[in-house]
């Protein structure tokens, strides 16, 4: 039995959730529900009013009839009593029985009670009290009897509940008055009338009203559903069309039918979609031209750049034989040609991302070993700037699916950026992992950045301090390319920074291709960070257990 109760409760909860979901998501359901509920409330109020009115009318009609019948029966009985010359007890008792039989016949009621009015002189011929009410005798209240006893000529009534033959209770009315019995004195006369027929009529009317109300609600609901369907269907088509348009299907349109408001909406929407498609096509063509221009320029510059590079290398190799000024010129030429070559490579890479033609060459890669290789390659540069590069790797030793060339480029950019702005202080590279992700953080303790600077740190060719000279020959595209490389892996590249307290760049990659990241193994802000620092958007400072 307990299991059935739990199942019923579960079914009720599922039904409730389904109704709430339909209420939130379906305009048609919500409109029909509101209409049916409002109509039901109105029909219910009208039904209650009609039921009460019919009940009152039935009661008043029956009451008037009862009072007339009772008065007639009382008059007939009093006429019989007044015409008699009974003198002894037996004759008076027989006379009273005759009067009571006449009352039952005239009133069509078998419920008759006769009680001698208290306070009269005792009489040996006065008949005993009698009643045919049976168990319903108690319905004759003391208040009713007192009113009848005080007024010999009045007629009084009271609503009561009578007991029927089958033991059930039915509404009724008791009417009281006085009669005078010869020799015996005054008696209280009470006649009971059942209102079972009136109650049956009222119940029939109520059932009829209830059935008609339910049928009317169903009819209103059906009509509302049909009407709303005609109105909501075009709106649903417009909503579905707008969703397809938002997802990139620019050729979808709303069918135009008729000349009503819905047709006007469809024409306006289609016109807006045409304009939007035209503008997007223009922007796409412009972007394609721009990307092709950057790619073509980069390719065309490679031939003269190769010639300049060969000539520059020849001059650079022989710089010791030149005068000091010419030697310095050869060194500057060599440095700038190298930077120019890096810039062309980065421009080509950016143009590939802009064109959407980048494809990853993923393979199982140990991020800790990759970080060690990059640190070993940049350690001499860090030593020249006075920065000690340390690797902390509590996790991340298991292989993860990634493109090692692109990830190596990200780590190289992050460490180079830390050396550039670390002001000769230590640099900590942390690698950790959990069951779904692997993360690498590069923490420096240099000048740091403000919130305004963080918002631009991944912009192309952006510098926090434009007057500051690059000391390691960056192109200004390293972080922008790193962000694109991380996004290509469906990973995160985030930054925390605080002025005077340094910065921390965190790279988070999924361990398996296609997995959506939910949290990073490395904390951001870092554990030793000042809480007043700033975190880039979408950073989630949450740490999971090591894998």
């Amino acid at each position: 039995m307990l299991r059935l109760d739990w199942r019923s409760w579960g079914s009720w909860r599922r039904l409730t959730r389904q109704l709430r979901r339909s209420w939130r998501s379906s305009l048609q359901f919500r409109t029909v529900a509101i209409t049916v509920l409002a109509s039901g409330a109105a029909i219910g109020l009208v039904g209650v009013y009609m039921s009460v009115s019919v009940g009152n009318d039935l009661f008043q009609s029956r009451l008037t009839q009862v009072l007339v019948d009772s008065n007639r029966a009382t008059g007939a009985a009093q006429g019989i009593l007044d015409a008699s010359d009974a003198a002894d007890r037996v004759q008076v008792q027989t006379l009273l029985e005759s009067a009571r039989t006449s009352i039952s016949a005239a009133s069509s009621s078998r419920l008759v009670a006769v009680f001698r009015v208290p306070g009269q002189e005792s009489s040996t011929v006065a008949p005993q009290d009698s009643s045919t009410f049976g168990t319903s005798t108690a319905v004759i209240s003391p208040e009713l009897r007192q009113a009848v006893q005080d007024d010999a000529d009045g007629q009084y009534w009271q609503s009561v509940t009578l007991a029927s033959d089958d033991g059930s209770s039915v509404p009724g009315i008791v009417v009281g008055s006085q009669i005078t019995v010869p020799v015996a004195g005054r008696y209280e006369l009470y006649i009971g009338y059942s209102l079972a027929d009136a109650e049956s009529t009222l119940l029939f009317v109520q059932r009829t009203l209830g059935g008609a109300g339910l049928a009317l609600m169903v009819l209103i609901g059906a009509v509302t559903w049909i009407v709303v369907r005609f109105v909501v269907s075009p709106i649903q088509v417009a909503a579905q069309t707008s969703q397809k348009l938002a997802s990139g299907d620019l050729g979808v349109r709303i069918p135009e039918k008729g000349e009503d408001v819905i047709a006007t909406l469809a024409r306006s929407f289609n016109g807006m979609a045409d304009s939007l498609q035209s503008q997007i096509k223009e922007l796409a063509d412009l972007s394609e031209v721009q990307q092709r221009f950057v790619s073509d320029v980069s390719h065309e510059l490679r031939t003269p750049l190769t010639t300049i590079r060969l000539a520059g290398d020849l001059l650079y190799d022989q710089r010791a034989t030149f005068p000091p000024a010419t030697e310095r010129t050869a060194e500057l030429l060599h440095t700038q040609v190298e930077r120019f070559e890096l810039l062309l490579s980065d421009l080509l890479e950016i143009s590939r991302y802009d064109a959407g033609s980048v494809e990853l060459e993923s393979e199982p890669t140990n991020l800790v070993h990759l970080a060690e290789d990059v640190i070993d390659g940049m350690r001499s540069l860090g030593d020249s700037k006075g920065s000690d590069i340390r690797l902390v790797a509590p996790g991340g030793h298991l292989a993860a699916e990634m493109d090692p060339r692109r990830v190596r480029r990200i780590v190289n950019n992050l460490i180079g950026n830390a050396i550039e702005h670390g002001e000769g202080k230590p640099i900590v590279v942390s690698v950790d992992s959990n069951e779904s992700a692997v993360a690498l953080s590069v923490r420096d303790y240099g000048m740091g950045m403000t919130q305004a600077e963080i918002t631009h740190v991944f912009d192309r060719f952006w510098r926090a301090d434009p007057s500051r000279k690059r000391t390691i020959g960056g192109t200004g595209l390293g972080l922008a390319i790193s962000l694109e490389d991380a996004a290509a892996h469906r990973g995160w590249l985030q930054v925390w920074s605080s002025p005077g307290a340094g910065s921390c760049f965190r790279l988070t990659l999924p361990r398996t291709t296609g997995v959506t990241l939910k949290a990073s193994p490395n904390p951001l802000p870092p554990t030793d960070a000042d809480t007043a620092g700033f975190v880039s958007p979408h950073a989630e400072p949450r740490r999971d257990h090591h894998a």
Side-chain angles (χ1 to χ4, degrees):
M1 187 65 183
L2 181 61
R3 180 179 301 174
L4 291 176
D5 291 341
W6 277 111
R7 288 179 178 177
S8 300
W9 174 247
S11 300
W12 173 254
R13 290 183 63 185
R14 285 193 296 271
L15 177 61
T16 304
R17 285 196 300 267
Q18 181 64 33
L19 289 176
R20 286 201 300 264
R21 189 180 304 111
S22 299
W23 178 270
R24 290 192 301 267
S25 61
S26 175
L27 177 61
Q28 191 170 358
F29 175 81
R30 191 161 59 248
T31 303
V32 173
I34 292 174
T35 303
V36 170
L37 291 176
S39 302
I43 293 173
L45 291 176
V46 173
V48 170
Y49 173 77
M50 293 182 62
S51 176
V52 172
S53 298
V54 170
N56 289 336
D57 290 344
L58 286 174
F59 179 79
Q60 290 298 330
S61 176
R62 181 59 174 156
L63 176 61
T64 301
Q65 180 184 1
V66 163
L67 293 178
V68 172
D69 289 348
S70 175
N71 188 55
R72 183 175 60 251
T74 302
Q78 189 63 56
I80 293 174
L81 294 174
D82 292 341
S84 173
D85 56 355
D88 58 18
R89 180 182 180 85
V90 174
Q91 290 176 341
V92 172
Q93 182 69 37
T94 303
L95 178 62
L96 187 58
E97 289 294 336
S98 248
R100 187 163 56 191
T101 302
S102 174
I103 291 171
S104 295
S107 64
S108 300
S109 173
R110 62 180 181 80
L111 301 178
V112 179
V114 180
F115 306 120
R116 194 166 188 268
V117 177
Q120 302 181 78
E121 293 182 0
S122 59
S123 174
T124 58
V125 299
Q128 296 294 322
D129 296 345
S130 63
S131 173
T132 60
F133 276 82
T135 57
S136 298
T137 304
V139 301
I140 304 174
S141 66
E143 293 79 8
L144 178 60
R145 292 197 60 183
Q146 186 65 46
V148 172
Q149 292 168 8
D150 293 342
D151 188 357
D153 298 325
Q155 187 183 41
Y156 299 90
W157 64 274
Q158 188 175 38
S159 295
V160 296
T161 300
L162 302 175
S164 62
D165 295 336
D166 58 2
S168 60
S169 298
V170 296
I173 296 176
V174 174
V175 181
S177 59
Q178 284 192 21
I179 58 174
T180 302
V181 180
V183 182
R186 293 180 293 114
Y187 276 78
E188 305 168 31
L189 174 62
Y190 298 98
I191 306 173
Y193 296 89
S194 173
L195 299 183
D197 293 341
E199 184 182 37
S200 299
T201 302
L202 180 60
L203 290 176
F204 173 76
V205 171
Q206 290 175 341
R207 285 195 295 267
T208 302
L209 289 175
L214 290 176
L216 185 58
M217 288 177 60
V218 172
L219 181 62
I220 291 174
V223 172
T224 305
W225 180 271
I226 295 173
V227 173
V228 172
R229 185 175 182 84
F230 280 109
V231 176
V232 172
S233 294
I235 298 177
Q236 290 177 338
V237 172
Q240 295 170 358
T241 304
S242 63
Q243 289 178 347
K244 293 179 181 179
L245 189 65
S247 64
D249 187 0
L250 301 179
V252 67
R253 295 293 184 270
I254 300 177
E256 300 179 16
K257 298 178 182 180
E259 298 180 357
D260 55 9
V261 176
I262 301 298
T264 303
L265 172 63
R267 284 191 293 270
S268 300
F269 183 90
N270 292 339
M272 179 189 67
D274 291 338
S275 176
L276 183 62
Q277 184 179 21
S278 176
Q279 294 179 14
I280 291 177
K281 186 176 184 304
E282 291 178 3
L283 291 175
D285 293 341
L286 180 61
S287 176
E288 184 178 355
V289 170
Q290 181 182 8
Q291 294 166 11
R292 187 181 300 113
F293 173 77
V294 173
S295 178
D296 293 344
V297 168
S298 301
H299 279 291
E300 292 299 327
L301 286 176
R302 283 204 174 274
T303 300
L305 178 62
T306 302
T307 304
I308 295 174
R309 178 64 183 270
L310 292 174
D313 289 344
L314 180 61
L315 294 175
Y316 183 75
D317 293 339
Q318 297 180 4
R319 67 186 184 280
T321 62
F322 298 153
T326 306
E327 180 183 1
R328 178 57 180 164
T329 301
E331 292 174 350
L332 291 175
L333 177 63
H334 178 77
T335 302
Q336 293 304 316
V337 168
E338 285 186 341
R339 185 169 180 272
F340 192 18
E341 191 172 17
L342 290 174
L343 180 60
L344 279 179
S345 298
D346 288 348
L347 284 174
L348 278 173
E349 190 68 19
I350 285 290
S351 67
R352 294 190 188 97
Y353 274 114
D354 290 342
S357 59
V358 172
E359 294 183 2
L360 298 180
E361 298 178 0
S362 299
E363 60 183 60
T365 304
N366 188 308
L367 188 58
V368 176
H369 293 166
L370 187 148
E372 288 176 344
D373 293 342
V374 175
I375 291 173
D376 290 340
M378 302 195 70
R379 193 175 300 280
S380 60
L381 179 60
D383 292 341
S384 66
K385 300 295 182 180
S387 294
D388 178 27
I389 306 175
R390 308 170 188 171
L391 175 63
V392 178
H397 296 275
L398 297 178
E401 292 291 331
M402 66 182 72
D403 186 332
R405 181 181 67 85
R406 297 183 185 277
V407 175
R408 184 184 300 274
R409 181 167 58 192
I410 296 174
V411 178
N412 190 80
N413 283 327
L414 296 182
I415 295 178
N417 190 67
I419 295 173
E420 175 78 21
H421 302 281
E423 299 183 334
K425 297 178 181 179
I427 297 172
V428 179
V429 180
S430 303
V431 182
D432 206 346
S433 62
N434 57 25
E435 64 276 5
S436 61
V438 60
L440 179 143
S441 299
V442 178
R443 173 79 163 100
D444 69 73
Y445 299 88
M447 63 184 69
M449 293 179 289
T450 64
Q451 179 62 46
E453 292 171 340
I454 285 180
T455 58
H456 297 287
V457 71
F458 295 108
D459 293 350
R460 300 173 184 181
F461 301 108
W462 180 83
R463 289 188 185 182
D465 183 4
S467 63
R468 182 182 177 91
K469 180 181 177 182
R470 297 185 187 273
T471 60
I472 59 174
T475 64
L477 293 172
L479 289 179
I481 294 176
S482 297
L483 184 64
E484 296 287 354
D485 286 336
H489 286 83
R490 299 184 65 181
W492 301 336
L493 181 57
Q494 301 155 317
V495 58
W496 167 91
S497 189
S498 178
S503 302
C504 181
F505 284 81
R506 182 182 70 179
L507 171 66
T508 308
L509 301 174
R511 292 179 63 169
T512 305
T513 302
V515 174
T516 301
L517 293 177
K518 297 181 179 179
S520 178
N522 282 352
L524 195 70
T527 54
D528 61 348
D530 180 4
T531 55
F534 305 102
V535 181
S536 66
H538 309 298
E540 299 181 8
R542 167 178 159 187
R543 185 179 183 86
D544 294 343
H545 296 293
H546 296 166

